[in-house]
Short mmCIF file of all heavy atoms in Angstrom, two decimals:
data_model
loop_
_atom_site.label_atom_id
_atom_site.label_comp_id
_atom_site.label_asym_id
_atom_site.label_seq_id
_atom_site.Cartn_x
_atom_site.Cartn_y
_atom_site.Cartn_z
N ASN O 117 17.14 27.61 14.11
CA ASN O 117 16.38 26.40 13.78
C ASN O 117 14.95 26.48 14.30
O ASN O 117 14.30 25.45 14.52
CB ASN O 117 17.09 25.17 14.36
CG ASN O 117 16.60 23.87 13.74
OD1 ASN O 117 16.24 23.83 12.56
ND2 ASN O 117 16.56 22.81 14.54
N ALA O 118 14.43 27.68 14.46
CA ALA O 118 13.08 27.87 15.01
C ALA O 118 12.02 27.21 14.14
O ALA O 118 12.10 27.23 12.91
CB ALA O 118 12.79 29.36 15.15
N LYS O 119 11.01 26.60 14.79
CA LYS O 119 9.93 25.90 14.12
C LYS O 119 8.60 26.64 14.29
O LYS O 119 8.37 27.31 15.30
CB LYS O 119 9.76 24.49 14.70
CG LYS O 119 11.02 23.65 14.70
CD LYS O 119 11.49 23.30 13.30
CE LYS O 119 12.67 22.35 13.35
NZ LYS O 119 13.19 22.02 12.00
N ASN O 120 7.74 26.48 13.31
CA ASN O 120 6.39 27.04 13.42
C ASN O 120 5.59 26.34 14.52
O ASN O 120 5.83 25.19 14.85
CB ASN O 120 5.63 26.90 12.10
CG ASN O 120 6.09 27.87 11.04
OD1 ASN O 120 7.22 28.32 11.05
ND2 ASN O 120 5.20 28.19 10.12
N PHE O 121 4.61 27.07 15.06
CA PHE O 121 3.59 26.50 15.94
C PHE O 121 2.35 26.26 15.09
O PHE O 121 1.86 27.17 14.43
CB PHE O 121 3.20 27.48 17.05
CG PHE O 121 4.32 27.87 17.98
CD1 PHE O 121 5.26 28.83 17.61
CD2 PHE O 121 4.41 27.32 19.25
CE1 PHE O 121 6.27 29.22 18.48
CE2 PHE O 121 5.41 27.69 20.12
CZ PHE O 121 6.34 28.64 19.74
N THR O 122 1.83 25.03 15.09
CA THR O 122 0.56 24.77 14.42
C THR O 122 -0.44 24.27 15.45
O THR O 122 -0.15 23.33 16.20
CB THR O 122 0.71 23.75 13.28
OG1 THR O 122 1.62 24.26 12.30
CG2 THR O 122 -0.64 23.51 12.62
N ILE O 123 -1.61 24.89 15.47
CA ILE O 123 -2.65 24.54 16.43
C ILE O 123 -3.89 24.13 15.64
O ILE O 123 -4.35 24.86 14.76
CB ILE O 123 -2.97 25.71 17.37
CG1 ILE O 123 -1.71 26.09 18.15
CG2 ILE O 123 -4.11 25.34 18.33
CD1 ILE O 123 -1.83 27.36 18.94
N ALA O 124 -4.41 22.96 15.96
CA ALA O 124 -5.64 22.46 15.34
C ALA O 124 -6.69 22.29 16.43
O ALA O 124 -6.37 21.97 17.57
CB ALA O 124 -5.40 21.15 14.62
N PHE O 125 -7.95 22.48 16.07
CA PHE O 125 -9.03 22.34 17.04
C PHE O 125 -10.36 22.24 16.30
O PHE O 125 -10.47 22.59 15.12
CB PHE O 125 -9.07 23.55 18.00
CG PHE O 125 -9.17 24.89 17.31
CD1 PHE O 125 -10.39 25.53 17.15
CD2 PHE O 125 -8.03 25.53 16.81
CE1 PHE O 125 -10.49 26.75 16.50
CE2 PHE O 125 -8.11 26.75 16.17
CZ PHE O 125 -9.34 27.37 16.02
N TRP O 126 -11.35 21.75 17.03
CA TRP O 126 -12.72 21.70 16.54
C TRP O 126 -13.54 22.77 17.26
O TRP O 126 -13.44 22.90 18.48
CB TRP O 126 -13.34 20.33 16.80
CG TRP O 126 -12.82 19.23 15.91
CD1 TRP O 126 -11.70 18.48 16.11
CD2 TRP O 126 -13.40 18.77 14.69
NE1 TRP O 126 -11.54 17.58 15.08
CE2 TRP O 126 -12.59 17.73 14.20
CE3 TRP O 126 -14.55 19.13 13.97
CZ2 TRP O 126 -12.87 17.04 13.03
CZ3 TRP O 126 -14.84 18.44 12.80
CH2 TRP O 126 -14.00 17.42 12.34
N ILE O 127 -14.34 23.51 16.52
CA ILE O 127 -15.16 24.57 17.09
C ILE O 127 -16.57 24.51 16.51
O ILE O 127 -16.75 24.20 15.32
CB ILE O 127 -14.54 25.97 16.86
CG1 ILE O 127 -15.32 27.05 17.62
CG2 ILE O 127 -14.40 26.28 15.38
CD1 ILE O 127 -14.62 28.40 17.64
N LYS O 128 -17.54 24.80 17.34
CA LYS O 128 -18.94 24.91 16.93
C LYS O 128 -19.48 26.18 17.56
O LYS O 128 -19.47 26.34 18.78
CB LYS O 128 -19.73 23.69 17.41
CG LYS O 128 -21.24 23.74 17.13
CD LYS O 128 -21.91 22.47 17.69
CE LYS O 128 -23.41 22.52 17.54
NZ LYS O 128 -24.06 21.29 18.08
N SER O 129 -19.94 27.11 16.73
CA SER O 129 -20.36 28.41 17.24
C SER O 129 -21.63 28.87 16.54
O SER O 129 -21.85 28.58 15.36
CB SER O 129 -19.25 29.45 17.02
OG SER O 129 -19.69 30.74 17.40
N SER O 130 -22.43 29.62 17.29
CA SER O 130 -23.62 30.25 16.71
C SER O 130 -23.26 31.40 15.79
O SER O 130 -24.09 31.82 14.96
CB SER O 130 -24.54 30.78 17.82
OG SER O 130 -24.86 29.77 18.74
N LYS O 131 -22.04 31.92 15.92
CA LYS O 131 -21.63 33.11 15.18
C LYS O 131 -20.65 32.75 14.07
O LYS O 131 -19.55 32.25 14.33
CB LYS O 131 -20.96 34.13 16.11
CG LYS O 131 -21.84 34.59 17.27
CD LYS O 131 -23.00 35.44 16.81
CE LYS O 131 -22.54 36.78 16.28
NZ LYS O 131 -23.70 37.67 15.96
N THR O 132 -21.05 32.98 12.82
CA THR O 132 -20.12 32.82 11.70
C THR O 132 -19.32 34.10 11.52
O THR O 132 -19.74 35.18 11.93
CB THR O 132 -20.88 32.51 10.40
OG1 THR O 132 -21.77 33.60 10.10
CG2 THR O 132 -21.69 31.23 10.53
N GLY O 133 -18.16 33.97 10.91
CA GLY O 133 -17.34 35.14 10.65
C GLY O 133 -15.88 34.87 10.94
O GLY O 133 -15.44 33.73 11.04
N THR O 134 -15.12 35.95 11.10
CA THR O 134 -13.67 35.88 11.27
C THR O 134 -13.32 35.95 12.76
O THR O 134 -13.75 36.85 13.48
CB THR O 134 -12.98 37.04 10.53
OG1 THR O 134 -13.32 36.98 9.15
CG2 THR O 134 -11.47 36.95 10.69
N TYR O 135 -12.53 34.98 13.19
CA TYR O 135 -12.03 34.89 14.56
C TYR O 135 -10.51 35.10 14.55
O TYR O 135 -9.88 35.03 13.49
CB TYR O 135 -12.35 33.53 15.17
CG TYR O 135 -13.81 33.28 15.46
CD1 TYR O 135 -14.75 33.13 14.43
CD2 TYR O 135 -14.27 33.14 16.77
CE1 TYR O 135 -16.09 32.87 14.71
CE2 TYR O 135 -15.61 32.89 17.05
CZ TYR O 135 -16.51 32.76 16.01
OH TYR O 135 -17.84 32.51 16.28
N VAL O 136 -9.93 35.30 15.73
CA VAL O 136 -8.48 35.51 15.84
C VAL O 136 -7.91 34.59 16.91
O VAL O 136 -8.48 34.44 17.99
CB VAL O 136 -8.15 36.98 16.19
CG1 VAL O 136 -6.66 37.15 16.49
CG2 VAL O 136 -8.56 37.91 15.06
N MET O 137 -6.78 33.97 16.57
CA MET O 137 -5.96 33.26 17.55
C MET O 137 -4.70 34.06 17.79
O MET O 137 -4.08 34.58 16.85
CB MET O 137 -5.60 31.86 17.05
CG MET O 137 -4.57 31.15 17.91
SD MET O 137 -4.41 29.41 17.48
CE MET O 137 -5.92 28.79 18.22
N GLU O 138 -4.28 34.15 19.05
CA GLU O 138 -3.09 34.91 19.42
C GLU O 138 -2.20 34.07 20.32
O GLU O 138 -2.68 33.45 21.27
CB GLU O 138 -3.49 36.19 20.16
CG GLU O 138 -2.30 37.03 20.62
CD GLU O 138 -2.70 38.19 21.52
OE1 GLU O 138 -3.74 38.08 22.21
OE2 GLU O 138 -1.96 39.19 21.55
N LEU O 139 -0.90 34.07 20.02
CA LEU O 139 0.11 33.49 20.90
C LEU O 139 0.93 34.62 21.51
O LEU O 139 1.32 35.56 20.80
CB LEU O 139 1.04 32.56 20.12
CG LEU O 139 0.66 31.07 20.04
CD1 LEU O 139 -0.73 30.90 19.42
CD2 LEU O 139 1.71 30.28 19.27
N VAL O 140 1.19 34.53 22.82
CA VAL O 140 1.99 35.52 23.53
C VAL O 140 3.08 34.78 24.30
O VAL O 140 2.77 33.87 25.08
CB VAL O 140 1.14 36.36 24.50
CG1 VAL O 140 2.01 37.43 25.18
CG2 VAL O 140 -0.03 37.01 23.79
N ASP O 141 4.34 35.15 24.10
CA ASP O 141 5.43 34.45 24.77
C ASP O 141 5.84 35.16 26.06
O ASP O 141 5.24 36.17 26.45
CB ASP O 141 6.62 34.23 23.83
CG ASP O 141 7.39 35.52 23.52
OD1 ASP O 141 7.09 36.58 24.11
OD2 ASP O 141 8.30 35.47 22.67
N ASP O 142 6.85 34.63 26.73
CA ASP O 142 7.27 35.18 28.01
C ASP O 142 8.16 36.42 27.85
O ASP O 142 8.67 36.95 28.85
CB ASP O 142 7.98 34.12 28.85
CG ASP O 142 9.20 33.52 28.18
OD1 ASP O 142 9.51 33.88 27.01
OD2 ASP O 142 9.87 32.67 28.80
N ASN O 143 8.34 36.89 26.63
CA ASN O 143 9.02 38.15 26.36
C ASN O 143 8.03 39.26 26.02
O ASN O 143 8.43 40.32 25.53
CB ASN O 143 10.00 37.98 25.18
CG ASN O 143 11.00 36.87 25.42
OD1 ASN O 143 11.85 36.96 26.29
ND2 ASN O 143 10.89 35.79 24.65
N SER O 144 6.74 39.01 26.26
CA SER O 144 5.66 39.95 25.91
C SER O 144 5.65 40.25 24.42
O SER O 144 5.38 41.37 23.99
CB SER O 144 5.78 41.25 26.72
OG SER O 144 5.60 41.00 28.09
N ARG O 145 5.95 39.22 23.64
CA ARG O 145 5.84 39.32 22.19
C ARG O 145 4.68 38.44 21.74
O ARG O 145 4.40 37.41 22.36
CB ARG O 145 7.15 38.89 21.51
CG ARG O 145 8.30 39.86 21.78
CD ARG O 145 9.59 39.37 21.16
NE ARG O 145 9.56 39.32 19.71
CZ ARG O 145 9.72 40.39 18.92
NH1 ARG O 145 9.88 41.60 19.45
NH2 ARG O 145 9.72 40.25 17.61
N HIS O 146 4.02 38.84 20.67
CA HIS O 146 2.85 38.09 20.23
C HIS O 146 2.83 37.92 18.73
O HIS O 146 3.52 38.64 17.99
CB HIS O 146 1.56 38.77 20.72
CG HIS O 146 1.24 40.09 20.07
ND1 HIS O 146 -0.05 40.57 19.94
CD2 HIS O 146 2.03 41.05 19.52
CE1 HIS O 146 -0.04 41.75 19.36
NE2 HIS O 146 1.20 42.06 19.09
N CYS O 147 2.03 36.95 18.30
CA CYS O 147 1.79 36.71 16.88
C CYS O 147 0.37 36.19 16.75
O CYS O 147 -0.10 35.41 17.57
CB CYS O 147 2.79 35.69 16.34
SG CYS O 147 2.75 35.52 14.53
N CYS O 148 -0.35 36.65 15.72
CA CYS O 148 -1.78 36.39 15.60
C CYS O 148 -2.12 35.90 14.20
O CYS O 148 -1.47 36.26 13.22
CB CYS O 148 -2.59 37.66 15.88
SG CYS O 148 -2.10 38.55 17.36
N LYS O 149 -3.18 35.10 14.10
CA LYS O 149 -3.71 34.66 12.82
C LYS O 149 -5.24 34.62 12.90
O LYS O 149 -5.81 34.34 13.95
CB LYS O 149 -3.18 33.28 12.44
CG LYS O 149 -1.74 33.28 11.91
CD LYS O 149 -1.63 34.02 10.58
CE LYS O 149 -0.23 33.97 10.02
NZ LYS O 149 0.15 32.63 9.56
#
Side-chain angles (χ1 to χ4, degrees):
N117 196 33
K119 306 293 186 182
N120 286 26
F121 298 79
T122 299
I123 300 171
F125 56 97
W126 287 85
I127 187 170
K128 176 181 175 180
S129 175
S130 305
K131 302 291 292 186
T132 60
T134 302
Y135 290 69
V136 173
M137 171 169 285
E138 178 188 28
L139 269 57
V140 183
D141 72 6
D142 58 358
N143 304 293
S144 295
R145 292 177 65 79
H146 69 153
C147 189
C148 312
K149 283 294 182 70

